[in-house]
Amino acid sequence: MSAENFALKASRIFLSRGRRRLINDLSFWIEPGQWLALHGPNGSGKSTLLRALCGLRSFDQEPELSFHGQAITSLARCSGIRLIFQGHAQGWKDGLSAFENLRWQLSLDHYGTAPIGDHALESALERCGIGQQRHLPFAVLSAGQRRRLAMSRLVLSLQGAGHQQRLCWLLDEPSTALDDQGQALMGSLLTQLLQQGGFAIIATHGAIPNAPKAAVLQLSA
Amino acid sequence: MFLASLQRDLRLLLRQASEAWLVLVFFLLIASLFPLAMQPEPKTLLAIGPGVSWVSALLSVLLSMPRMFAADAQDGSLEQMLLQSEAWMSILLGKLVAHWLASGLPLSLVAPLIGLQYGLDLNAIAVLLAGLLLGTPILTLIGAIAAALNLSARGGGALLALLMLPLCIPVLVFGAGAVEAQAAGLGAEAHLSLLAAGLILAAILAPWACSTAIRIAMD
Amino acid sequence: MKAIENGSWWSHYAAPARFYPLAGHLVTPLFLMAAVLASIGLYIGFIVAPTDWQQGESYRIIFIHVPAAWMSMIIYLAMAFWGVLALVLKTRLSAMMLQALAPTGAWMTFVALWTGAFWGKPTWGTYWVWDARITSELILLFLYFGVIGLRASIDDDRKADKACALLSIVGAVNVPIIYFSVKWWNTLHQGASVSLTAAPKMAQTMLTAMLIMTAAAWAYSIAASLVRVRSLIIQREPRSSWDKSLKNQAEASSAGVPR
């Protein structure tokens, strides 16, 4: 299969944390319409790999990354990709309300494209089950409610997709603290993403219910 | 994005206004300590007044520096901003301006009170105010570099002080010197112009250095 | 990795593994050179050079003070130079050179301050003098402490490399500004002191001694930094690179080669 057929192809990945080498000469690829599930015990380098692929962190040496055949240095800097990254620390501020937090995050996510109206924001929050809490101070929201805010960010990213760019989600354990309903929603969002021609790399401990089949990358400790 | 970032930081600060107030109170407190530690003779106070005001301002800005990036780095919002590579510089500039508006600017406006405490005349106070208005942004800019480097390090504020204070010495020299020059009848234009030049230089170079330091810290 | 033809010597030795033995060969000759030059310089400075008609014998301390002060500034610039290389070329060796130079630079600054104090006492009656040069040296010492302190506070080697490189560059840009501002401050307060740089007019022998001592300081600084770099290479590089050269040394000495 030639390189253009892969949504993302990566090889010669070397990654260390401090003096310890976590990942040694890793290669993987993601076919169109597929998402990559990143499995592995704690400390195996899942989060580090996600951050490095984003471009937040550097690899030990230059890897070979290509996006639909085009060589890139990191996912954040590729103009053909609209990247949504959610790390362990999701980036919400306690001092703002859920609505304000989402509004700020969207201004980052949708920079350069048409801004998303308040109405769309509110319906996304409703869909994810936190419409009632949107103007409360963020500090009072539970962990599960915060995760739902993260999901509404994903919902809105699906809506605002530009046509020149493909959507890419890099998520670090998004299902933590989500109840069954939340997890099912996660799965259906993922389905929608793949239908739109985007792709995702998700670090997760278990399976995501309701989700399409994934390619699995297993990292060892 | 500059305005959005500015608005965001100011809004966050308004909700946690005690942080900004504390810095102001600290400023007044430090300046009040000196006369208590020596004989408060008018002539001595007049001589040390400009210096004390400036040193207190510097220490107060130092005190306010950790809040610039540490919270954002910890809750993950800083990396989200970094990922937005096109708008990143505007966002950073918004943060820098917001920080000055909440620290340097109030300090400068309150400094005349300290001037009065030390018996400075109105002209001297005017020069003090002008100098602080020009100098505190420079302190914020230099402090931002130090705060960004400090993100990579463990431990508390002592390292931040060591990184920031030596680099701020020129601002101290010219700012306090301006008031003394004015009092000596020499006119403060030279000092104030040097501060202005320093501000332009810092405004050009510091954001770049700060951004690099943040990337290093997030690595 | 194919070496570029013009810079082939440079890129060959940029690998820490290959620099290690090269540095090793240079260390002993440099220390010897420093010792010899220092002896000559001190002899000329302390014994041969004439007594200064203004300051008497105590002025002789400048033969240590001035070279130390010069070295303290040169080393800071060298640190910043390696810092630029470390950030731009991302070579590990540049970052290690920076880390190795900092303590030597700090020592030179300390010696300059200490000898300045010993000069000040007999000449003006006080150990500390707030003149432009001495005050700048003090601030430079704080800048060195900043780099050393930052290094010590960051656990991750790579992150520490880059952070210290940036700090040394920022410091280097500031050093001229700081020096200028301190000089400005000093000239305004003219009554305070006589500048230590307004040295007695140099007799030829004094100048010679000064230059020789400066060369000695150079040789010593380079040698000390190389020793430190070697120990950093051992600490940080994987064993395979330097193991061979150590093994050769061990074999040579255990083979009973008479010294």
Side-chain angles (χ1 to χ4, degrees), chain B residues 83-109:
Chain B
L83 282 172
Q84 181 42 264
S85 39
E86 284 169 31
W88 163 241
M89 271 326 243
S90 331
I91 297 173
L92 181 60
L93 287 173
K95 289 186 78 61
L96 292 171
V97 172
H99 186 269
W100 177 74
L101 286 176
S103 64
L105 181 62
L107 285 181
S108 314
L109 296 176

PDB file of all heavy atoms in Angstrom, chain B residues 83-109:
ATOM      1  N   LEU B  83      -0.398  24.756  21.396  1.00  0.00           N
ATOM      2  CA  LEU B  83      -0.733  23.979  20.215  1.00  0.00           C
ATOM      3  C   LEU B  83      -1.306  24.863  19.119  1.00  0.00           C
ATOM      4  O   LEU B  83      -1.234  24.537  17.943  1.00  0.00           O
ATOM      5  CB  LEU B  83      -1.752  22.884  20.571  1.00  0.00           C
ATOM      6  CG  LEU B  83      -1.154  21.673  21.274  1.00  0.00           C
ATOM      7  CD1 LEU B  83      -2.248  20.749  21.741  1.00  0.00           C
ATOM      8  CD2 LEU B  83      -0.227  20.937  20.317  1.00  0.00           C
ATOM      9  N   GLN B  84      -1.863  25.994  19.519  1.00  0.00           N
ATOM     10  CA  GLN B  84      -2.428  26.893  18.533  1.00  0.00           C
ATOM     11  C   GLN B  84      -1.283  27.745  18.000  1.00  0.00           C
ATOM     12  O   GLN B  84      -1.131  28.910  18.358  1.00  0.00           O
ATOM     13  CB  GLN B  84      -3.505  27.766  19.193  1.00  0.00           C
ATOM     14  CG  GLN B  84      -4.166  28.719  18.251  1.00  0.00           C
ATOM     15  CD  GLN B  84      -4.477  28.088  16.919  1.00  0.00           C
ATOM     16  OE1 GLN B  84      -3.732  28.209  15.955  1.00  0.00           O
ATOM     17  NE2 GLN B  84      -5.595  27.399  16.850  1.00  0.00           N
ATOM     18  N   SER B  85      -0.451  27.152  17.163  1.00  0.00           N
ATOM     19  CA  SER B  85       0.819  27.791  16.821  1.00  0.00           C
ATOM     20  C   SER B  85       0.677  29.119  16.092  1.00  0.00           C
ATOM     21  O   SER B  85       1.517  29.980  16.219  1.00  0.00           O
ATOM     22  CB  SER B  85       1.690  26.845  15.994  1.00  0.00           C
ATOM     23  OG  SER B  85       0.909  26.126  15.082  1.00  0.00           O
ATOM     24  N   GLU B  86      -0.407  29.308  15.364  1.00  0.00           N
ATOM     25  CA  GLU B  86      -0.530  30.580  14.649  1.00  0.00           C
ATOM     26  C   GLU B  86      -0.803  31.733  15.589  1.00  0.00           C
ATOM     27  O   GLU B  86      -0.248  32.812  15.461  1.00  0.00           O
ATOM     28  CB  GLU B  86      -1.681  30.506  13.637  1.00  0.00           C
ATOM     29  CG  GLU B  86      -1.348  29.714  12.387  1.00  0.00           C
ATOM     30  CD  GLU B  86      -2.600  29.456  11.569  1.00  0.00           C
ATOM     31  OE1 GLU B  86      -3.508  30.319  11.621  1.00  0.00           O
ATOM     32  OE2 GLU B  86      -2.668  28.413  10.929  1.00  0.00           O
ATOM     33  N   ALA B  87      -1.693  31.521  16.526  1.00  0.00           N
ATOM     34  CA  ALA B  87      -2.123  32.620  17.385  1.00  0.00           C
ATOM     35  C   ALA B  87      -1.315  32.707  18.668  1.00  0.00           C
ATOM     36  O   ALA B  87      -1.541  33.590  19.487  1.00  0.00           O
ATOM     37  CB  ALA B  87      -3.595  32.462  17.730  1.00  0.00           C
ATOM     38  N   TRP B  88      -0.358  31.808  18.851  1.00  0.00           N
ATOM     39  CA  TRP B  88       0.344  31.699  20.128  1.00  0.00           C
ATOM     40  C   TRP B  88       0.955  33.019  20.596  1.00  0.00           C
ATOM     41  O   TRP B  88       0.806  33.412  21.751  1.00  0.00           O
ATOM     42  CB  TRP B  88       1.385  30.587  20.038  1.00  0.00           C
ATOM     43  CG  TRP B  88       2.436  30.601  21.075  1.00  0.00           C
ATOM     44  CD1 TRP B  88       3.781  30.728  20.874  1.00  0.00           C
ATOM     45  CD2 TRP B  88       2.269  30.521  22.495  1.00  0.00           C
ATOM     46  NE1 TRP B  88       4.454  30.705  22.083  1.00  0.00           N
ATOM     47  CE2 TRP B  88       3.550  30.586  23.088  1.00  0.00           C
ATOM     48  CE3 TRP B  88       1.163  30.385  23.328  1.00  0.00           C
ATOM     49  CZ2 TRP B  88       3.758  30.528  24.462  1.00  0.00           C
ATOM     50  CZ3 TRP B  88       1.368  30.320  24.711  1.00  0.00           C
ATOM     51  CH2 TRP B  88       2.647  30.396  25.267  1.00  0.00           C
ATOM     52  N   MET B  89       1.651  33.711  19.702  1.00  0.00           N
ATOM     53  CA  MET B  89       2.315  34.940  20.130  1.00  0.00           C
ATOM     54  C   MET B  89       1.313  35.992  20.586  1.00  0.00           C
ATOM     55  O   MET B  89       1.540  36.684  21.576  1.00  0.00           O
ATOM     56  CB  MET B  89       3.178  35.525  19.002  1.00  0.00           C
ATOM     57  CG  MET B  89       4.608  35.012  18.965  1.00  0.00           C
ATOM     58  SD  MET B  89       5.288  34.670  20.585  1.00  0.00           S
ATOM     59  CE  MET B  89       6.607  35.789  20.713  1.00  0.00           C
ATOM     60  N   SER B  90       0.202  36.120  19.882  1.00  0.00           N
ATOM     61  CA  SER B  90      -0.806  37.105  20.315  1.00  0.00           C
ATOM     62  C   SER B  90      -1.361  36.729  21.672  1.00  0.00           C
ATOM     63  O   SER B  90      -1.620  37.593  22.515  1.00  0.00           O
ATOM     64  CB  SER B  90      -1.977  37.192  19.341  1.00  0.00           C
ATOM     65  OG  SER B  90      -1.584  36.890  18.054  1.00  0.00           O
ATOM     66  N   ILE B  91      -1.557  35.425  21.883  1.00  0.00           N
ATOM     67  CA  ILE B  91      -2.077  34.980  23.173  1.00  0.00           C
ATOM     68  C   ILE B  91      -1.082  35.329  24.274  1.00  0.00           C
ATOM     69  O   ILE B  91      -1.449  35.844  25.334  1.00  0.00           O
ATOM     70  CB  ILE B  91      -2.350  33.467  23.151  1.00  0.00           C
ATOM     71  CG1 ILE B  91      -3.424  33.139  22.130  1.00  0.00           C
ATOM     72  CG2 ILE B  91      -2.747  32.960  24.520  1.00  0.00           C
ATOM     73  CD1 ILE B  91      -3.629  31.662  21.920  1.00  0.00           C
ATOM     74  N   LEU B  92       0.187  35.066  24.003  1.00  0.00           N
ATOM     75  CA  LEU B  92       1.215  35.359  25.004  1.00  0.00           C
ATOM     76  C   LEU B  92       1.267  36.848  25.308  1.00  0.00           C
ATOM     77  O   LEU B  92       1.328  37.267  26.470  1.00  0.00           O
ATOM     78  CB  LEU B  92       2.572  34.879  24.489  1.00  0.00           C
ATOM     79  CG  LEU B  92       3.753  35.085  25.422  1.00  0.00           C
ATOM     80  CD1 LEU B  92       3.547  34.360  26.729  1.00  0.00           C
ATOM     81  CD2 LEU B  92       5.051  34.609  24.763  1.00  0.00           C
ATOM     82  N   LEU B  93       1.211  37.673  24.259  1.00  0.00           N
ATOM     83  CA  LEU B  93       1.239  39.119  24.480  1.00  0.00           C
ATOM     84  C   LEU B  93       0.041  39.553  25.318  1.00  0.00           C
ATOM     85  O   LEU B  93       0.150  40.431  26.181  1.00  0.00           O
ATOM     86  CB  LEU B  93       1.241  39.855  23.138  1.00  0.00           C
ATOM     87  CG  LEU B  93       2.561  39.778  22.380  1.00  0.00           C
ATOM     88  CD1 LEU B  93       2.426  40.376  20.994  1.00  0.00           C
ATOM     89  CD2 LEU B  93       3.655  40.497  23.136  1.00  0.00           C
ATOM     90  N   GLY B  94      -1.113  38.938  25.045  1.00  0.00           N
ATOM     91  CA  GLY B  94      -2.296  39.253  25.848  1.00  0.00           C
ATOM     92  C   GLY B  94      -2.049  38.954  27.317  1.00  0.00           C
ATOM     93  O   GLY B  94      -2.408  39.735  28.210  1.00  0.00           O
ATOM     94  N   LYS B  95      -1.412  37.823  27.610  1.00  0.00           N
ATOM     95  CA  LYS B  95      -1.121  37.467  28.988  1.00  0.00           C
ATOM     96  C   LYS B  95      -0.167  38.463  29.623  1.00  0.00           C
ATOM     97  O   LYS B  95      -0.330  38.843  30.785  1.00  0.00           O
ATOM     98  CB  LYS B  95      -0.495  36.072  29.062  1.00  0.00           C
ATOM     99  CG  LYS B  95      -1.451  34.956  28.772  1.00  0.00           C
ATOM    100  CD  LYS B  95      -0.795  33.605  28.998  1.00  0.00           C
ATOM    101  CE  LYS B  95      -0.711  33.228  30.460  1.00  0.00           C
ATOM    102  NZ  LYS B  95      -2.006  33.114  31.110  1.00  0.00           N
ATOM    103  N   LEU B  96       0.844  38.882  28.864  1.00  0.00           N
ATOM    104  CA  LEU B  96       1.835  39.801  29.417  1.00  0.00           C
ATOM    105  C   LEU B  96       1.181  41.136  29.762  1.00  0.00           C
ATOM    106  O   LEU B  96       1.399  41.699  30.844  1.00  0.00           O
ATOM    107  CB  LEU B  96       2.975  40.013  28.415  1.00  0.00           C
ATOM    108  CG  LEU B  96       3.855  38.793  28.162  1.00  0.00           C
ATOM    109  CD1 LEU B  96       4.809  39.053  27.001  1.00  0.00           C
ATOM    110  CD2 LEU B  96       4.644  38.440  29.393  1.00  0.00           C
ATOM    111  N   VAL B  97       0.371  41.644  28.824  1.00  0.00           N
ATOM    112  CA  VAL B  97      -0.274  42.933  29.076  1.00  0.00           C
ATOM    113  C   VAL B  97      -1.238  42.818  30.252  1.00  0.00           C
ATOM    114  O   VAL B  97      -1.295  43.702  31.117  1.00  0.00           O
ATOM    115  CB  VAL B  97      -1.003  43.420  27.805  1.00  0.00           C
ATOM    116  CG1 VAL B  97      -1.837  44.648  28.110  1.00  0.00           C
ATOM    117  CG2 VAL B  97       0.007  43.730  26.714  1.00  0.00           C
ATOM    118  N   ALA B  98      -1.990  41.716  30.284  1.00  0.00           N
ATOM    119  CA  ALA B  98      -2.939  41.531  31.388  1.00  0.00           C
ATOM    120  C   ALA B  98      -2.207  41.527  32.725  1.00  0.00           C
ATOM    121  O   ALA B  98      -2.667  42.111  33.705  1.00  0.00           O
ATOM    122  CB  ALA B  98      -3.706  40.218  31.204  1.00  0.00           C
ATOM    123  N   HIS B  99      -1.053  40.885  32.754  1.00  0.00           N
ATOM    124  CA  HIS B  99      -0.301  40.827  33.997  1.00  0.00           C
ATOM    125  C   HIS B  99       0.140  42.212  34.437  1.00  0.00           C
ATOM    126  O   HIS B  99       0.037  42.573  35.605  1.00  0.00           O
ATOM    127  CB  HIS B  99       0.914  39.920  33.838  1.00  0.00           C
ATOM    128  CG  HIS B  99       1.657  39.706  35.112  1.00  0.00           C
ATOM    129  ND1 HIS B  99       2.693  40.522  35.500  1.00  0.00           N
ATOM    130  CD2 HIS B  99       1.494  38.803  36.089  1.00  0.00           C
ATOM    131  CE1 HIS B  99       3.147  40.111  36.675  1.00  0.00           C
ATOM    132  NE2 HIS B  99       2.430  39.075  37.053  1.00  0.00           N
ATOM    133  N   TRP B 100       0.611  43.013  33.499  1.00  0.00           N
ATOM    134  CA  TRP B 100       1.061  44.352  33.863  1.00  0.00           C
ATOM    135  C   TRP B 100      -0.100  45.204  34.341  1.00  0.00           C
ATOM    136  O   TRP B 100       0.037  45.963  35.309  1.00  0.00           O
ATOM    137  CB  TRP B 100       1.746  45.034  32.669  1.00  0.00           C
ATOM    138  CG  TRP B 100       2.155  46.430  32.989  1.00  0.00           C
ATOM    139  CD1 TRP B 100       3.204  46.805  33.785  1.00  0.00           C
ATOM    140  CD2 TRP B 100       1.518  47.635  32.566  1.00  0.00           C
ATOM    141  NE1 TRP B 100       3.274  48.180  33.886  1.00  0.00           N
ATOM    142  CE2 TRP B 100       2.251  48.712  33.135  1.00  0.00           C
ATOM    143  CE3 TRP B 100       0.424  47.912  31.766  1.00  0.00           C
ATOM    144  CZ2 TRP B 100       1.911  50.039  32.925  1.00  0.00           C
ATOM    145  CZ3 TRP B 100       0.075  49.237  31.560  1.00  0.00           C
ATOM    146  CH2 TRP B 100       0.812  50.289  32.139  1.00  0.00           C
ATOM    147  N   LEU B 101      -1.241  45.069  33.652  1.00  0.00           N
ATOM    148  CA  LEU B 101      -2.403  45.859  34.036  1.00  0.00           C
ATOM    149  C   LEU B 101      -2.817  45.559  35.470  1.00  0.00           C
ATOM    150  O   LEU B 101      -3.353  46.410  36.169  1.00  0.00           O
ATOM    151  CB  LEU B 101      -3.585  45.573  33.100  1.00  0.00           C
ATOM    152  CG  LEU B 101      -3.495  46.179  31.710  1.00  0.00           C
ATOM    153  CD1 LEU B 101      -4.667  45.731  30.859  1.00  0.00           C
ATOM    154  CD2 LEU B 101      -3.438  47.689  31.784  1.00  0.00           C
ATOM    155  N   ALA B 102      -2.551  44.335  35.894  1.00  0.00           N
ATOM    156  CA  ALA B 102      -2.979  43.952  37.231  1.00  0.00           C
ATOM    157  C   ALA B 102      -1.878  44.084  38.273  1.00  0.00           C
ATOM    158  O   ALA B 102      -2.150  43.987  39.454  1.00  0.00           O
ATOM    159  CB  ALA B 102      -3.468  42.501  37.208  1.00  0.00           C
ATOM    160  N   SER B 103      -0.643  44.285  37.867  1.00  0.00           N
ATOM    161  CA  SER B 103       0.422  44.418  38.862  1.00  0.00           C
ATOM    162  C   SER B 103       1.165  45.738  38.719  1.00  0.00           C
ATOM    163  O   SER B 103       1.075  46.612  39.566  1.00  0.00           O
ATOM    164  CB  SER B 103       1.394  43.251  38.777  1.00  0.00           C
ATOM    165  OG  SER B 103       2.061  43.252  37.536  1.00  0.00           O
ATOM    166  N   GLY B 104       1.884  45.917  37.608  1.00  0.00           N
ATOM    167  CA  GLY B 104       2.714  47.109  37.453  1.00  0.00           C
ATOM    168  C   GLY B 104       1.927  48.398  37.469  1.00  0.00           C
ATOM    169  O   GLY B 104       2.327  49.374  38.099  1.00  0.00           O
ATOM    170  N   LEU B 105       0.809  48.409  36.760  1.00  0.00           N
ATOM    171  CA  LEU B 105       0.025  49.637  36.673  1.00  0.00           C
ATOM    172  C   LEU B 105      -0.512  50.081  38.037  1.00  0.00           C
ATOM    173  O   LEU B 105      -0.318  51.233  38.443  1.00  0.00           O
ATOM    174  CB  LEU B 105      -1.100  49.476  35.641  1.00  0.00           C
ATOM    175  CG  LEU B 105      -1.980  50.697  35.439  1.00  0.00           C
ATOM    176  CD1 LEU B 105      -1.153  51.860  34.915  1.00  0.00           C
ATOM    177  CD2 LEU B 105      -3.110  50.385  34.463  1.00  0.00           C
ATOM    178  N   PRO B 106      -1.183  49.220  38.781  1.00  0.00           N
ATOM    179  CA  PRO B 106      -1.637  49.635  40.111  1.00  0.00           C
ATOM    180  C   PRO B 106      -0.489  50.083  41.015  1.00  0.00           C
ATOM    181  O   PRO B 106      -0.630  51.051  41.760  1.00  0.00           O
ATOM    182  CB  PRO B 106      -2.310  48.381  40.667  1.00  0.00           C
ATOM    183  CG  PRO B 106      -2.638  47.549  39.497  1.00  0.00           C
ATOM    184  CD  PRO B 106      -1.600  47.851  38.464  1.00  0.00           C
ATOM    185  N   LEU B 107       0.639  49.374  40.935  1.00  0.00           N
ATOM    186  CA  LEU B 107       1.789  49.759  41.752  1.00  0.00           C
ATOM    187  C   LEU B 107       2.222  51.185  41.436  1.00  0.00           C
ATOM    188  O   LEU B 107       2.469  51.996  42.334  1.00  0.00           O
ATOM    189  CB  LEU B 107       2.975  48.830  41.482  1.00  0.00           C
ATOM    190  CG  LEU B 107       2.945  47.425  42.051  1.00  0.00           C
ATOM    191  CD1 LEU B 107       4.229  46.712  41.676  1.00  0.00           C
ATOM    192  CD2 LEU B 107       2.809  47.475  43.550  1.00  0.00           C
ATOM    193  N   SER B 108       2.323  51.466  40.140  1.00  0.00           N
ATOM    194  CA  SER B 108       2.754  52.809  39.745  1.00  0.00           C
ATOM    195  C   SER B 108       1.795  53.856  40.259  1.00  0.00           C
ATOM    196  O   SER B 108       2.203  54.913  40.736  1.00  0.00           O
ATOM    197  CB  SER B 108       2.840  52.908  38.224  1.00  0.00           C
ATOM    198  OG  SER B 108       3.495  51.815  37.693  1.00  0.00           O
ATOM    199  N   LEU B 109       0.501  53.556  40.187  1.00  0.00           N
ATOM    200  CA  LEU B 109      -0.486  54.553  40.591  1.00  0.00           C
ATOM    201  C   LEU B 109      -0.496  54.765  42.100  1.00  0.00           C
ATOM    202  O   LEU B 109      -0.857  55.834  42.578  1.00  0.00           O
ATOM    203  CB  LEU B 109      -1.880  54.140  40.096  1.00  0.00           C
ATOM    204  CG  LEU B 109      -2.008  54.093  38.567  1.00  0.00           C
ATOM    205  CD1 LEU B 109      -3.379  53.579  38.144  1.00  0.00           C
ATOM    206  CD2 LEU B 109      -1.744  55.463  37.969  1.00  0.00           C
TER     207      LEU B 109
END
